[in-house]
Amino acid sequence: MSQTPPPSGEMPFIEHLVELRDRLLKIILGVGIIVAILLPFSNNIYAYFAKPLISLLPMGTQMIAIDVASPFFTPMKLILVLAIFLAIPLILYHFWAFVTPGLYKHEQELIFPLLVSSTLLFYIGAVFAYYVVFPMIFSFMVSTTPDGVAMMTDIGRYLDFILTVFFAFGIAFQVPVITVVLVWLEVITPEHLTEKRAYIIVGAFIIGAILTPPDVISQTLLAVPMLVLFEIGLFISRLVLKKKRQRQEAEEMYDNDYHPLTTTEMDDALKKAEEEDKRLRGEK
């Protein structure tokens, strides 16, 4: 089966490296600008992310800083991670601009929507973790604190905890994208995924137990959305696979109807045409 060549010609390897360097510098510059904008508000931003826990702590208790430099470095770490998080659209734009010239048209039609949907799903996963998961987890932890024990969490460890949960939910919400890609690459079929649904359910809860804190609530809150997103991805993958097969059938029909002439066949055809022209003119 023939394939349409990529839309643009090949670039020398050095030019690829130069372009990659330029785009990486632009990404670093973009992240740096976001850091500079957020830096004056670092303490307020940290307070916002600490609110789900602080709002549930008993009156008179607060978070603490075990290390001497934690009050400075912990908000700075949050700002850097948040800047990268907010710069994801910029990062994906430069990634897309870099790889697009080497992609076929039908690959561009699939990859661009996947990049956009992957970004949105990552953001949705993080928002879901902040507004749904954190209140339930922290409420459970505060309510189970033994009498006589003051829950005073270190700000550095708290930040590590919430970043881990953010990352876990952001990755877990990529299930539809992963499902579509695997089906499009024909690594697996929608029918096979449907047959293995029971194993996928068990696997979702196992992943929830690995990626989240050791409690049933957070495990369930991660596993259930993953299963819902899996069903959405399964539905979309059927549509994508159907479209891919239709395109392949169209290309096969085109190949059967049209066979490009080789150089030899072209020369023979020209000779025959010249001979026929001479015959019609009465020339020998």
Side-chain angles (χ1 to χ4, degrees):
M1 185 187 345
S2 64
Q3 279 187 315
T4 305
S8 61
E10 294 184 358
M11 292 175 58
F13 181 70
I14 298 299
E15 291 187 19
H16 277 296
L17 292 179
V18 172
E19 182 186 3
L20 179 61
R21 181 204 62 188
D22 292 342
R23 295 194 179 280
L24 288 176
L25 290 176
K26 291 177 181 178
I27 290 173
I28 294 173
L29 178 61
V31 173
I33 292 174
I34 297 175
V35 169
I37 294 173
L38 298 179
L39 193 58
F41 312 99
S42 59
N43 289 336
N44 293 332
I45 293 173
Y46 186 89
Y48 175 79
F49 280 92
K51 186 178 178 181
L53 176 60
I54 293 177
S55 61
L56 296 171
L57 291 176
M59 189 69 66
T61 58
Q62 57 186 356
M63 301 181 73
I64 61 174
I66 297 177
D67 297 325
V68 176
S70 289
F72 173 77
F73 285 112
T74 300
M76 284 287 295
K77 178 181 177 180
L78 174 60
I79 291 300
L80 179 59
V81 174
L82 184 61
I84 297 174
F85 182 76
L86 295 176
I88 287 179
L90 175 67
I91 296 171
L92 291 180
Y93 164 77
H94 284 290
F95 170 78
W96 177 249
F98 181 73
V99 303
T100 297
L103 298 177
Y104 295 102
K105 183 178 179 180
H106 65 275
E107 293 174 335
Q108 295 178 16
E109 293 174 352
L110 177 69
I111 294 177
F112 181 73
L114 288 179
L115 288 176
V116 174
S117 59
S118 177
T119 304
L120 292 176
L121 286 170
F122 191 89
Y123 284 148
I124 292 172
V127 171
F128 180 81
Y130 183 85
Y131 287 103
V132 178
V133 178
F134 286 165
M136 297 187 68
I137 292 178
F138 297 145
S139 178
F140 172 77
M141 291 181 176
V142 170
S143 64
T144 56
T145 302
D147 293 336
V149 176
M151 185 175 181
M152 304 176 68
T153 304
D154 173 61
I155 60 173
R157 294 181 180 179
Y158 174 80
L159 178 60
D160 293 339
F161 174 83
I162 64 171
L163 290 180
T164 300
V165 176
F166 277 139
F167 182 77
F169 276 81
I171 296 299
F173 272 55
Q174 304 301 309
V175 169
V177 175
I178 296 172
T179 303
V180 171
V181 170
L182 290 177
V183 172
W184 184 70
L185 294 175
E186 298 185 7
V187 175
I188 198 168
T189 64
E191 293 75 18
H192 189 252
L193 288 173
T194 303
E195 294 174 359
K196 302 298 182 181
R197 183 179 277 114
Y199 298 98
I200 293 173
I201 293 174
V202 175
F205 279 91
I206 293 175
I207 294 174
I210 295 173
L211 296 181
T212 60
D215 63 272
V216 177
I217 296 176
S218 56
Q219 177 187 4
T220 304
L221 288 175
L222 180 59
V224 172
M226 284 179 63
L227 294 174
V228 174
L229 292 170
F230 164 74
E231 295 296 336
I232 295 174
L234 186 61
F235 173 76
I236 297 174
S237 66
R238 289 193 177 99
L239 300 179
V240 171
L241 185 61
K242 181 179 179 181
K243 184 177 180 180
K244 179 182 179 181
R245 288 173 176 171
Q246 289 175 344
R247 178 181 56 79
Q248 290 175 339
E249 291 174 358
E251 289 180 352
E252 289 174 358
M253 291 177 62
Y254 177 80
D255 289 342
N256 292 333
D257 295 337
Y258 173 71
H259 297 283
L261 297 177
T262 63
T263 303
T264 304
E265 291 173 340
M266 183 67 73
D267 292 339
D268 293 340
L270 289 173
K271 289 180 181 179
K272 289 180 180 179
E274 290 174 356
E275 292 173 358
E276 182 66 15
D277 183 67
K278 290 180 180 180
R279 187 185 67 78
L280 292 174
R281 292 183 181 184
E283 298 179 5
K284 297 182 180 179

